Amino acid sequence: MFQSSRPITSEPLVIGRSAPRVDALTKVTGEERYAADYYPENYLWAGVKRAAYPHARITGIDISQAQGMSGVVSVLTSQDVLGSNRLGIFEKDQPILADGIVRHYGEAVALVTAETKEVLEQALAAIVVEYEPLAAVFDPEEAQNKNSVILHPGRADGNTLLSGEISCGRGAAALADCAFSAEVSIELNWQDHAFLETEAGVAWLEEDGTIAMIVSTQTPFRDRLELAEALKIPPTKFRVMAPYLGGAFGGKDGITVQGFLALAALHSAGRPVKMWYSREERFLAGTKRHPAVMQYTLGCDREGVLQALDCSILLDTGAYSAMGGEVLALAMEHAGGSYCIPHTLIKGAVVYTNNPVASAFRGFGIPQAAAGIEQAVDELAKLAGFDPLQFRLKNAVRRGSVTPAGVLLTQTVGLEECLAKVGEHRLWRERQAWQNSAPPFKRRGVGLAACYHAVGFGPVIPDYANAKLELSPDGRIRVYGGVVDMGQGNAATYMQIVGHILFQGCDNMELVLPDTSRTLPSASSSASRTTFTYGNALTGAANILKERILARALLMFSFQLLEQLSVEDLILLPGRILHQPSGREVPLKMIAGFMDDSERTATYSYTCPVNKQVLPTGKNLRHHGYPHRVFSYGVQLVRLQVDTLTGEVEVCDLLNCIDAGCVLNPQVFEQQIQGGAAQGIGYALFEDFALKEGQIMTNDFSTYILPTAMDMPNMETVVVALAEDDGPYGMKGAGEISIDGVLPAIANGVADSSGTRITKGTLTGEKILLALRQAGKEAVR
Amino acid sequence: MRVKFILNGKDTIVETQSDRRVVDLLREDLGLTGVKECCGAGECGACTILVNGTSRLSCLMLAAQLEGMEVTTIEGVAPEGGFAIVQQTFIDHGAVQCGFCTPGMVLAVLDLLQRNPQPTSEEIRAGLSGNLCRCTGYQKIVEAVLAAAALLKGRRE
């Protein structure tokens, strides 16, 4: 094969221009090492014995046979966990190793370390666990019943983890005055993150007793706190390093293998331990997107102005809380969509069941909320006789509007522009002709959805970052990445921000990936805040470092030129500083040599401003993140065709029109938009997650179907770049807005093509064919 | 057993169990961690290697099957300090996000372009349908392959 030499990267990085991702260079050659790629010398394999019941009391664990096997180093149970043995962020309810009760199929019961994978498998099989099966509940509605079996006795609200109500104006009562009202009931399926790198890591004990680990995590700093309490070890006795992740999307937000790794490292006779979930184990043990049961009634007046909304959202968090409460709060805040609706009642609950654990997944409750409101909006527009795009435009929020959740929008709002741009786009304008030219046995449909997505953590949990930047002794700029790069490219964007301010290219810069011993706490890679928050902190640090470099250079030039100079005469150039009037230059390396270690490093702490609104409603949700201040906006348009012989849906075109503020790196931005849309297509059409009494029936990629290259449409991204004052260089978060509206856009397109709305679960060919048959629209064979 | 094969251009002899999975042999015994494992069941393509120039799934192959074969992993694709054209276009066109599918994807593209030097978008999508990517939505990967095919055509002419 022909080859090329590595690209020259001395060109200074600039905000607003696509720059190739630095990480791509090492990923494309296979050199980049992910957590799964570490095999420390003399390491042991660690693995977990998992529960064979969805709800049972453990009456005995016999580890004697496993313990006696040659090649087995340790067999551990909850007895070996010295701390609280409880993981969790807001509610600490999940054991590392089950102590007494298992609450979902596949819950961890015992932990083994062994010389080889083969011995590990044999030892796990040799552990005998005796169970007394308990009654179990799998339906979130049943779980709310008074006589339901209770998963966590002692909680005030039975199986309800969190419930709340947001009411504005006259609430649901205003529906009675509406000229038109539409009702939809929607049931949404689970979704697995299906990142390609399953949960993985290695851990070892350092000489001073520190438990060090390299692990695939979105949250290295918070992991320490979670582990500290569960294991009764001071948080400073953990060092967590996060290399680039092989995908995460929320599924590595919190502890996955870290508890096992730490425990195993404490009982491995001083040897490093390695753990890496199989794909089946990932399905079994990993978190999912919350399934939802939703009822929506939406009303408008004769002119098509939205007046009232009555809706409810019920989420199933499975056996443990994880981030169930926060996902519910965000879903409820966005439940009424990005419209002005004066009278609303939004009810929500998230409940425990004996199902797998649900938690964060790109979108964080908003894909569910958008699926409800955007299908209701389409139904109402149709009923009241309005064009779905014009109907949305008429009711769209603007800056200064109040959302259906009572949130005053003080920051940029680009929804109208997004809708207008979609309206002008040929995919929308030419839709009728396109639909009319459907080939035989195909029905074509066009679907729309509008959505918005809050940026950051909300009013209570500080959305902070601590940036760190260094001029190394050899004159290079070292960027400390405080927030994990799970694949979205924020590490490269951090380099771009610093390169832009300090006028440097990649060849004179280097990156330090998150490491609790080297980088500073900057919260999680999540919530569309990864570049938004850290970028703000980094801008501050870069300006400080620039000032210091120029001040020191000024002294040098003054000495050389023997005159009083001004800092305005100095220009920072790649690798050097220029004194413009004299044309003299000094290399950065020389300046570094004249700086003390303490001066070469700049840090800057930044905390995002929050919405200070005191809302009279949904007060218990505030703690979980409601309300927000900054929102990104988007409109998704799909053109699809339904095969009337098979029911199969082909998405032909997908347009994503996005206001996520100014775009720092167009290529990385588009990656986020296309990738989110692709996951949305999988969510809508392919990923038909199936459970039977709490047991996952789709636990591999032959039953849990991910879209392939053949299943993806042509995707186009249109940008509405309103400058957001809160964001670095006017940006807003772009990681999630592209997934939110895809499912409802597709559902609306399917309804448009066939006149039938499928409201339950994944829109599989079987369901659509059945609906076509019932409507007499199936093709005759 | 003793297995003799050519690995990334070098004569290689390993002493291993005949039923050792090739992905384990390459990653764990030979340190070639550019070979990724993602599903272990032949569904995702992350562990793709080239065997005598043809793409194969190393999670479904056993060590004994390598006897006498010529094996290329991602580590053997680029020259020292350089990139294969396909790797370069993957970088330039933003086809790499988390990158865990990338090594397998690049090798699958090399195989595809050998069989079909000027593929259409549809042929690329079909040719890569055995390689899952969860990050990109594939569009930029297709663009990168089209660009590589065009560059390679230019070089041949």
Side-chain angles (χ1 to χ4, degrees), chain A residues 388-430:
Chain A
L389 194 142
Q390 291 306 322
F391 189 67
R392 285 177 169 86
L393 198 51
K394 186 189 280 273
N395 291 289
V397 288
R398 296 155 174 80
R399 191 170 190 170
S401 296
V402 173
T403 74
V407 182
L408 175 68
L409 298 172
T410 58
Q411 305 308 109
T412 47
V413 177
L415 183 62
E416 274 183 294
E417 287 91 335
C418 289
L419 284 162
K421 286 200 176 195
V422 169
E424 292 158 12
H425 199 280
R426 65 174 175 83
L427 289 175
W428 180 253
R429 278 192 291 103
E430 298 166 9

mmCIF file of all heavy atoms in Angstrom, chain A residues 388-430:
data_model
loop_
_atom_site.group_PDB
_atom_site.id
_atom_site.type_symbol
_atom_site.label_atom_id
_atom_site.label_comp_id
_atom_site.label_asym_id
_atom_site.label_seq_id
_atom_site.Cartn_x
_atom_site.Cartn_y
_atom_site.Cartn_z
ATOM 1 N N PRO A 388 -46.726 20.710 10.481
ATOM 2 C CA PRO A 388 -45.972 20.416 11.709
ATOM 3 C C PRO A 388 -44.790 21.358 11.952
ATOM 4 O O PRO A 388 -44.456 21.637 13.099
ATOM 5 C CB PRO A 388 -45.476 18.976 11.501
ATOM 6 C CG PRO A 388 -45.659 18.672 10.056
ATOM 7 C CD PRO A 388 -46.760 19.560 9.563
ATOM 8 N N LEU A 389 -44.199 21.857 10.885
ATOM 9 C CA LEU A 389 -43.063 22.768 11.075
ATOM 10 C C LEU A 389 -43.560 24.160 11.494
ATOM 11 O O LEU A 389 -43.039 24.764 12.437
ATOM 12 C CB LEU A 389 -42.222 22.847 9.799
ATOM 13 C CG LEU A 389 -40.855 23.495 9.983
ATOM 14 C CD1 LEU A 389 -39.810 22.774 9.125
ATOM 15 C CD2 LEU A 389 -40.836 24.964 9.652
ATOM 16 N N GLN A 390 -44.578 24.639 10.808
ATOM 17 C CA GLN A 390 -45.124 25.959 11.157
ATOM 18 C C GLN A 390 -45.703 25.963 12.573
ATOM 19 O O GLN A 390 -45.613 26.944 13.305
ATOM 20 C CB GLN A 390 -46.211 26.375 10.146
ATOM 21 C CG GLN A 390 -45.672 26.678 8.753
ATOM 22 C CD GLN A 390 -44.549 27.712 8.765
ATOM 23 O OE1 GLN A 390 -44.586 28.668 9.531
ATOM 24 N NE2 GLN A 390 -43.531 27.508 7.943
ATOM 25 N N PHE A 391 -46.306 24.856 12.928
ATOM 26 C CA PHE A 391 -46.886 24.707 14.267
ATOM 27 C C PHE A 391 -45.802 24.823 15.342
ATOM 28 O O PHE A 391 -45.959 25.519 16.347
ATOM 29 C CB PHE A 391 -47.575 23.343 14.354
ATOM 30 C CG PHE A 391 -48.405 23.138 15.599
ATOM 31 C CD1 PHE A 391 -49.553 23.882 15.824
ATOM 32 C CD2 PHE A 391 -48.038 22.179 16.540
ATOM 33 C CE1 PHE A 391 -50.323 23.673 16.965
ATOM 34 C CE2 PHE A 391 -48.793 21.965 17.682
ATOM 35 C CZ PHE A 391 -49.940 22.723 17.892
ATOM 36 N N ARG A 392 -44.669 24.180 15.085
ATOM 37 C CA ARG A 392 -43.553 24.254 16.031
ATOM 38 C C ARG A 392 -42.984 25.678 16.076
ATOM 39 O O ARG A 392 -42.665 26.195 17.138
ATOM 40 C CB ARG A 392 -42.462 23.241 15.645
ATOM 41 C CG ARG A 392 -42.848 21.801 15.995
ATOM 42 C CD ARG A 392 -41.778 20.814 15.524
ATOM 43 N NE ARG A 392 -42.000 19.475 16.064
ATOM 44 C CZ ARG A 392 -42.784 18.554 15.523
ATOM 45 N NH1 ARG A 392 -43.437 18.818 14.400
ATOM 46 N NH2 ARG A 392 -42.932 17.367 16.087
ATOM 47 N N LEU A 393 -42.878 26.282 14.898
ATOM 48 C CA LEU A 393 -42.316 27.630 14.822
ATOM 49 C C LEU A 393 -43.201 28.623 15.584
ATOM 50 O O LEU A 393 -42.710 29.482 16.323
ATOM 51 C CB LEU A 393 -42.203 28.027 13.343
ATOM 52 C CG LEU A 393 -41.287 29.166 12.967
ATOM 53 C CD1 LEU A 393 -39.886 28.992 13.544
ATOM 54 C CD2 LEU A 393 -41.192 29.261 11.439
ATOM 55 N N LYS A 394 -44.491 28.472 15.427
ATOM 56 C CA LYS A 394 -45.439 29.368 16.102
ATOM 57 C C LYS A 394 -45.292 29.307 17.620
ATOM 58 O O LYS A 394 -45.460 30.302 18.308
ATOM 59 C CB LYS A 394 -46.867 28.930 15.696
ATOM 60 C CG LYS A 394 -47.984 29.837 16.189
ATOM 61 C CD LYS A 394 -49.343 29.197 15.919
ATOM 62 C CE LYS A 394 -49.827 29.339 14.510
ATOM 63 N NZ LYS A 394 -50.571 30.569 14.254
ATOM 64 N N ASN A 395 -44.955 28.123 18.095
ATOM 65 C CA ASN A 395 -44.913 27.936 19.552
ATOM 66 C C ASN A 395 -43.502 27.885 20.149
ATOM 67 O O ASN A 395 -43.341 27.661 21.346
ATOM 68 C CB ASN A 395 -45.660 26.643 19.913
ATOM 69 C CG ASN A 395 -47.154 26.769 19.672
ATOM 70 O OD1 ASN A 395 -47.846 27.479 20.401
ATOM 71 N ND2 ASN A 395 -47.646 26.130 18.617
ATOM 72 N N ALA A 396 -42.508 28.073 19.305
ATOM 73 C CA ALA A 396 -41.125 27.892 19.754
ATOM 74 C C ALA A 396 -40.725 28.887 20.841
ATOM 75 O O ALA A 396 -41.145 30.048 20.816
ATOM 76 C CB ALA A 396 -40.182 28.029 18.559
ATOM 77 N N VAL A 397 -39.904 28.436 21.771
ATOM 78 C CA VAL A 397 -39.365 29.351 22.778
ATOM 79 C C VAL A 397 -38.351 30.282 22.130
ATOM 80 O O VAL A 397 -37.703 29.938 21.132
ATOM 81 C CB VAL A 397 -38.672 28.607 23.957
ATOM 82 C CG1 VAL A 397 -39.692 27.925 24.850
ATOM 83 C CG2 VAL A 397 -37.614 27.626 23.463
ATOM 84 N N ARG A 398 -38.235 31.465 22.713
ATOM 85 C CA ARG A 398 -37.248 32.457 22.301
ATOM 86 C C ARG A 398 -36.511 32.880 23.559
ATOM 87 O O ARG A 398 -36.924 32.545 24.666
ATOM 88 C CB ARG A 398 -37.957 33.677 21.694
ATOM 89 C CG ARG A 398 -38.714 33.371 20.425
ATOM 90 C CD ARG A 398 -39.855 34.378 20.209
ATOM 91 N NE ARG A 398 -40.519 34.174 18.909
ATOM 92 C CZ ARG A 398 -41.435 33.237 18.677
ATOM 93 N NH1 ARG A 398 -41.816 32.405 19.642
ATOM 94 N NH2 ARG A 398 -41.973 33.119 17.481
ATOM 95 N N ARG A 399 -35.442 33.651 23.375
ATOM 96 C CA ARG A 399 -34.753 34.168 24.555
ATOM 97 C C ARG A 399 -35.740 35.032 25.342
ATOM 98 O O ARG A 399 -36.417 35.882 24.759
ATOM 99 C CB ARG A 399 -33.542 35.003 24.129
ATOM 100 C CG ARG A 399 -32.636 35.350 25.284
ATOM 101 C CD ARG A 399 -31.337 35.962 24.800
ATOM 102 N NE ARG A 399 -30.377 36.071 25.882
ATOM 103 C CZ ARG A 399 -29.104 36.394 25.721
ATOM 104 N NH1 ARG A 399 -28.644 36.637 24.525
ATOM 105 N NH2 ARG A 399 -28.289 36.475 26.753
ATOM 106 N N GLY A 400 -35.819 34.782 26.636
ATOM 107 C CA GLY A 400 -36.780 35.499 27.462
ATOM 108 C C GLY A 400 -38.076 34.740 27.690
ATOM 109 O O GLY A 400 -38.877 35.120 28.541
ATOM 110 N N SER A 401 -38.286 33.666 26.929
ATOM 111 C CA SER A 401 -39.482 32.845 27.140
ATOM 112 C C SER A 401 -39.349 32.050 28.438
ATOM 113 O O SER A 401 -38.252 31.868 28.960
ATOM 114 C CB SER A 401 -39.657 31.832 26.002
ATOM 115 O OG SER A 401 -39.874 32.449 24.766
ATOM 116 N N VAL A 402 -40.503 31.560 28.874
ATOM 117 C CA VAL A 402 -40.534 30.650 30.012
ATOM 118 C C VAL A 402 -40.910 29.277 29.469
ATOM 119 O O VAL A 402 -41.854 29.142 28.697
ATOM 120 C CB VAL A 402 -41.549 31.127 31.064
ATOM 121 C CG1 VAL A 402 -41.721 30.093 32.166
ATOM 122 C CG2 VAL A 402 -41.100 32.454 31.647
ATOM 123 N N THR A 403 -40.150 28.242 29.830
ATOM 124 C CA THR A 403 -40.412 26.894 29.301
ATOM 125 C C THR A 403 -41.630 26.286 30.000
ATOM 126 O O THR A 403 -42.101 26.816 31.018
ATOM 127 C CB THR A 403 -39.205 25.955 29.537
ATOM 128 O OG1 THR A 403 -39.175 25.605 30.923
ATOM 129 C CG2 THR A 403 -37.904 26.612 29.125
ATOM 130 N N PRO A 404 -42.121 25.162 29.480
ATOM 131 C CA PRO A 404 -43.251 24.494 30.135
ATOM 132 C C PRO A 404 -42.937 24.070 31.573
ATOM 133 O O PRO A 404 -43.842 23.787 32.348
ATOM 134 C CB PRO A 404 -43.496 23.267 29.247
ATOM 135 C CG PRO A 404 -42.941 23.651 27.915
ATOM 136 C CD PRO A 404 -41.759 24.526 28.199
ATOM 137 N N ALA A 405 -41.672 24.034 31.929
ATOM 138 C CA ALA A 405 -41.292 23.710 33.313
ATOM 139 C C ALA A 405 -41.054 24.976 34.126
ATOM 140 O O ALA A 405 -40.496 24.911 35.220
ATOM 141 C CB ALA A 405 -40.053 22.820 33.319
ATOM 142 N N GLY A 406 -41.421 26.111 33.580
ATOM 143 C CA GLY A 406 -41.311 27.365 34.337
ATOM 144 C C GLY A 406 -39.939 28.000 34.312
ATOM 145 O O GLY A 406 -39.671 28.950 35.048
ATOM 146 N N VAL A 407 -39.045 27.498 33.451
ATOM 147 C CA VAL A 407 -37.667 27.986 33.442
ATOM 148 C C VAL A 407 -37.556 29.200 32.514
ATOM 149 O O VAL A 407 -37.907 29.124 31.333
ATOM 150 C CB VAL A 407 -36.702 26.871 32.965
ATOM 151 C CG1 VAL A 407 -35.260 27.362 32.995
ATOM 152 C CG2 VAL A 407 -36.864 25.625 33.822
ATOM 153 N N LEU A 408 -37.061 30.300 33.062
ATOM 154 C CA LEU A 408 -36.853 31.515 32.271
ATOM 155 C C LEU A 408 -35.569 31.359 31.462
ATOM 156 O O LEU A 408 -34.505 31.085 32.018
ATOM 157 C CB LEU A 408 -36.746 32.730 33.203
ATOM 158 C CG LEU A 408 -36.401 34.064 32.537
ATOM 159 C CD1 LEU A 408 -37.553 34.539 31.651
ATOM 160 C CD2 LEU A 408 -36.066 35.120 33.590
ATOM 161 N N LEU A 409 -35.686 31.549 30.161
ATOM 162 C CA LEU A 409 -34.528 31.355 29.283
ATOM 163 C C LEU A 409 -33.766 32.666 29.145
ATOM 164 O O LEU A 409 -34.131 33.534 28.354
ATOM 165 C CB LEU A 409 -34.976 30.830 27.923
ATOM 166 C CG LEU A 409 -35.667 29.460 27.972
ATOM 167 C CD1 LEU A 409 -36.243 29.099 26.614
ATOM 168 C CD2 LEU A 409 -34.714 28.372 28.459
ATOM 169 N N THR A 410 -32.712 32.796 29.932
ATOM 170 C CA THR A 410 -31.942 34.044 29.938
ATOM 171 C C THR A 410 -30.805 34.023 28.929
ATOM 172 O O THR A 410 -30.246 35.067 28.618
ATOM 173 C CB THR A 410 -31.332 34.274 31.340
ATOM 174 O OG1 THR A 410 -30.515 33.145 31.672
ATOM 175 C CG2 THR A 410 -32.410 34.442 32.391
ATOM 176 N N GLN A 411 -30.445 32.827 28.429
ATOM 177 C CA GLN A 411 -29.277 32.719 27.540
ATOM 178 C C GLN A 411 -29.729 32.514 26.092
ATOM 179 O O GLN A 411 -30.918 32.534 25.806
ATOM 180 C CB GLN A 411 -28.375 31.571 28.026
ATOM 181 C CG GLN A 411 -27.945 31.679 29.488
ATOM 182 C CD GLN A 411 -27.322 33.012 29.849
ATOM 183 O OE1 GLN A 411 -27.901 33.826 30.565
ATOM 184 N NE2 GLN A 411 -26.131 33.259 29.316
ATOM 185 N N THR A 412 -28.775 32.285 25.193
ATOM 186 C CA THR A 412 -29.136 32.203 23.771
ATOM 187 C C THR A 412 -30.119 31.078 23.471
ATOM 188 O O THR A 412 -30.019 29.979 24.025
ATOM 189 C CB THR A 412 -27.882 31.962 22.907
ATOM 190 O OG1 THR A 412 -27.130 30.909 23.503
ATOM 191 C CG2 THR A 412 -27.041 33.211 22.785
ATOM 192 N N VAL A 413 -31.057 31.366 22.568
ATOM 193 C CA VAL A 413 -32.055 30.395 22.130
ATOM 194 C C VAL A 413 -32.111 30.436 20.610
ATOM 195 O O VAL A 413 -32.552 31.432 20.036
ATOM 196 C CB VAL A 413 -33.444 30.720 22.703
ATOM 197 C CG1 VAL A 413 -34.485 29.745 22.166
ATOM 198 C CG2 VAL A 413 -33.425 30.689 24.233
ATOM 199 N N GLY A 414 -31.667 29.364 19.953
ATOM 200 C CA GLY A 414 -31.619 29.371 18.483
ATOM 201 C C GLY A 414 -32.656 28.485 17.830
ATOM 202 O O GLY A 414 -32.498 28.104 16.671
ATOM 203 N N LEU A 415 -33.732 28.167 18.564
ATOM 204 C CA LEU A 415 -34.698 27.221 18.014
ATOM 205 C C LEU A 415 -35.404 27.750 16.763
ATOM 206 O O LEU A 415 -35.587 27.025 15.786
ATOM 207 C CB LEU A 415 -35.719 26.835 19.085
ATOM 208 C CG LEU A 415 -36.739 25.792 18.643
ATOM 209 C CD1 LEU A 415 -36.055 24.478 18.276
ATOM 210 C CD2 LEU A 415 -37.781 25.556 19.718
ATOM 211 N N GLU A 416 -35.818 29.012 16.810
ATOM 212 C CA GLU A 416 -36.520 29.574 15.636
ATOM 213 C C GLU A 416 -35.653 29.487 14.387
ATOM 214 O O GLU A 416 -36.122 29.125 13.313
ATOM 215 C CB GLU A 416 -36.803 31.060 15.887
ATOM 216 C CG GLU A 416 -38.069 31.339 16.628
ATOM 217 C CD GLU A 416 -38.278 32.845 16.741
ATOM 218 O OE1 GLU A 416 -37.465 33.492 17.434
ATOM 219 O OE2 GLU A 416 -39.211 33.347 16.133
ATOM 220 N N GLU A 417 -34.370 29.838 14.548
ATOM 221 C CA GLU A 417 -33.460 29.782 13.404
ATOM 222 C C GLU A 417 -33.318 28.341 12.902
ATOM 223 O O GLU A 417 -33.275 28.102 11.700
ATOM 224 C CB GLU A 417 -32.070 30.324 13.783
ATOM 225 C CG GLU A 417 -32.005 31.826 13.946
ATOM 226 C CD GLU A 417 -32.282 32.287 15.372
ATOM 227 O OE1 GLU A 417 -32.965 31.556 16.124
ATOM 228 O OE2 GLU A 417 -31.813 33.371 15.737
ATOM 229 N N CYS A 418 -33.220 27.389 13.846
ATOM 230 C CA CYS A 418 -33.107 25.980 13.443
ATOM 231 C C CYS A 418 -34.328 25.566 12.633
ATOM 232 O O CYS A 418 -34.211 24.949 11.567
ATOM 233 C CB CYS A 418 -32.979 25.068 14.659
ATOM 234 S SG CYS A 418 -31.405 25.202 15.517
ATOM 235 N N LEU A 419 -35.513 25.923 13.134
ATOM 236 C CA LEU A 419 -36.741 25.544 12.431
ATOM 237 C C LEU A 419 -36.805 26.223 11.067
ATOM 238 O O LEU A 419 -37.185 25.609 10.060
ATOM 239 C CB LEU A 419 -37.965 25.917 13.274
ATOM 240 C CG LEU A 419 -38.240 24.987 14.455
ATOM 241 C CD1 LEU A 419 -39.177 25.651 15.466
ATOM 242 C CD2 LEU A 419 -38.828 23.652 13.990
ATOM 243 N N ALA A 420 -36.409 27.505 11.023
ATOM 244 C CA ALA A 420 -36.456 28.231 9.754
ATOM 245 C C ALA A 420 -35.505 27.597 8.740
ATOM 246 O O ALA A 420 -35.862 27.425 7.568
ATOM 247 C CB ALA A 420 -36.092 29.694 9.991
ATOM 248 N N LYS A 421 -34.306 27.216 9.203
ATOM 249 C CA LYS A 421 -33.342 26.616 8.270
ATOM 250 C C LYS A 421 -33.822 25.267 7.753
ATOM 251 O O LYS A 421 -33.577 24.919 6.597
ATOM 252 C CB LYS A 421 -31.974 26.471 8.940
ATOM 253 C CG LYS A 421 -31.276 27.809 9.083
ATOM 254 C CD LYS A 421 -29.781 27.665 9.271
ATOM 255 C CE LYS A 421 -29.159 29.048 9.316
ATOM 256 N NZ LYS A 421 -27.727 29.049 9.159
ATOM 257 N N VAL A 422 -34.472 24.499 8.618
ATOM 258 C CA VAL A 422 -35.022 23.220 8.161
ATOM 259 C C VAL A 422 -36.137 23.488 7.156
ATOM 260 O O VAL A 422 -36.243 22.819 6.120
ATOM 261 C CB VAL A 422 -35.517 22.377 9.359
ATOM 262 C CG1 VAL A 422 -36.336 21.186 8.888
ATOM 263 C CG2 VAL A 422 -34.325 21.905 10.191
ATOM 264 N N GLY A 423 -36.948 24.498 7.448
ATOM 265 C CA GLY A 423 -38.053 24.846 6.546
ATOM 266 C C GLY A 423 -37.572 25.233 5.154
ATOM 267 O O GLY A 423 -38.253 24.982 4.153
ATOM 268 N N GLU A 424 -36.397 25.841 5.094
ATOM 269 C CA GLU A 424 -35.848 26.272 3.791
ATOM 270 C C GLU A 424 -35.092 25.154 3.084
ATOM 271 O O GLU A 424 -34.735 25.286 1.919
ATOM 272 C CB GLU A 424 -34.833 27.426 4.009
ATOM 273 C CG GLU A 424 -35.440 28.712 4.485
ATOM 274 C CD GLU A 424 -34.405 29.593 5.182
ATOM 275 O OE1 GLU A 424 -33.190 29.296 5.093
ATOM 276 O OE2 GLU A 424 -34.830 30.565 5.828
ATOM 277 N N HIS A 425 -34.818 24.085 3.806
ATOM 278 C CA HIS A 425 -33.961 23.032 3.248
ATOM 279 C C HIS A 425 -34.724 22.205 2.216
ATOM 280 O O HIS A 425 -35.901 21.921 2.380
ATOM 281 C CB HIS A 425 -33.472 22.133 4.390
ATOM 282 C CG HIS A 425 -32.277 21.321 4.027
ATOM 283 N ND1 HIS A 425 -32.361 20.163 3.291
ATOM 284 C CD2 HIS A 425 -30.956 21.506 4.277
ATOM 285 C CE1 HIS A 425 -31.137 19.664 3.131
ATOM 286 N NE2 HIS A 425 -30.269 20.468 3.715
ATOM 287 N N ARG A 426 -33.993 21.803 1.178
ATOM 288 C CA ARG A 426 -34.662 21.035 0.104
ATOM 289 C C ARG A 426 -35.298 19.747 0.627
ATOM 290 O O ARG A 426 -36.332 19.313 0.125
ATOM 291 C CB ARG A 426 -33.692 20.721 -1.035
ATOM 292 C CG ARG A 426 -32.587 19.817 -0.649
ATOM 293 C CD ARG A 426 -31.653 19.352 -1.746
ATOM 294 N NE ARG A 426 -30.595 18.594 -1.097
ATOM 295 C CZ ARG A 426 -30.700 17.312 -0.765
ATOM 296 N NH1 ARG A 426 -31.787 16.628 -1.053
ATOM 297 N NH2 ARG A 426 -29.711 16.698 -0.136
ATOM 298 N N LEU A 427 -34.689 19.132 1.652
ATOM 299 C CA LEU A 427 -35.271 17.886 2.172
ATOM 300 C C LEU A 427 -36.682 18.119 2.696
ATOM 301 O O LEU A 427 -37.525 17.231 2.664
ATOM 302 C CB LEU A 427 -34.388 17.307 3.283
ATOM 303 C CG LEU A 427 -33.049 16.709 2.869
ATOM 304 C CD1 LEU A 427 -32.252 16.284 4.088
ATOM 305 C CD2 LEU A 427 -33.234 15.535 1.906
ATOM 306 N N TRP A 428 -36.926 19.343 3.178
ATOM 307 C CA TRP A 428 -38.272 19.665 3.650
ATOM 308 C C TRP A 428 -39.126 20.207 2.507
ATOM 309 O O TRP A 428 -40.243 19.740 2.280
ATOM 310 C CB TRP A 428 -38.199 20.685 4.795
ATOM 311 C CG TRP A 428 -39.546 21.065 5.328
ATOM 312 C CD1 TRP A 428 -40.203 22.250 5.149
ATOM 313 C CD2 TRP A 428 -40.438 20.248 6.109
ATOM 314 N NE1 TRP A 428 -41.426 22.233 5.761
ATOM 315 C CE2 TRP A 428 -41.598 21.010 6.365
ATOM 316 C CE3 TRP A 428 -40.364 18.943 6.610
ATOM 317 C CZ2 TRP A 428 -42.675 20.520 7.096
ATOM 318 C CZ3 TRP A 428 -41.441 18.452 7.350
ATOM 319 C CH2 TRP A 428 -42.566 19.241 7.589
ATOM 320 N N ARG A 429 -38.576 21.145 1.742
ATOM 321 C CA ARG A 429 -39.362 21.782 0.682
ATOM 322 C C ARG A 429 -39.831 20.780 -0.371
ATOM 323 O O ARG A 429 -40.935 20.858 -0.866
ATOM 324 C CB ARG A 429 -38.538 22.890 0.011
ATOM 325 C CG ARG A 429 -38.551 24.220 0.758
ATOM 326 C CD ARG A 429 -37.968 25.345 -0.075
ATOM 327 N NE ARG A 429 -36.532 25.209 -0.283
ATOM 328 C CZ ARG A 429 -35.957 24.784 -1.410
ATOM 329 N NH1 ARG A 429 -36.695 24.481 -2.463
ATOM 330 N NH2 ARG A 429 -34.652 24.670 -1.499
ATOM 331 N N GLU A 430 -38.965 19.822 -0.690
ATOM 332 C CA GLU A 430 -39.284 18.885 -1.776
ATOM 333 C C GLU A 430 -39.873 17.585 -1.251
ATOM 334 O O GLU A 430 -39.859 16.567 -1.934
ATOM 335 C CB GLU A 430 -38.015 18.607 -2.606
ATOM 336 C CG GLU A 430 -37.463 19.845 -3.284
ATOM 337 C CD GLU A 430 -36.044 19.644 -3.819
ATOM 338 O OE1 GLU A 430 -35.549 18.499 -3.805
ATOM 339 O OE2 GLU A 430 -35.434 20.650 -4.230
#
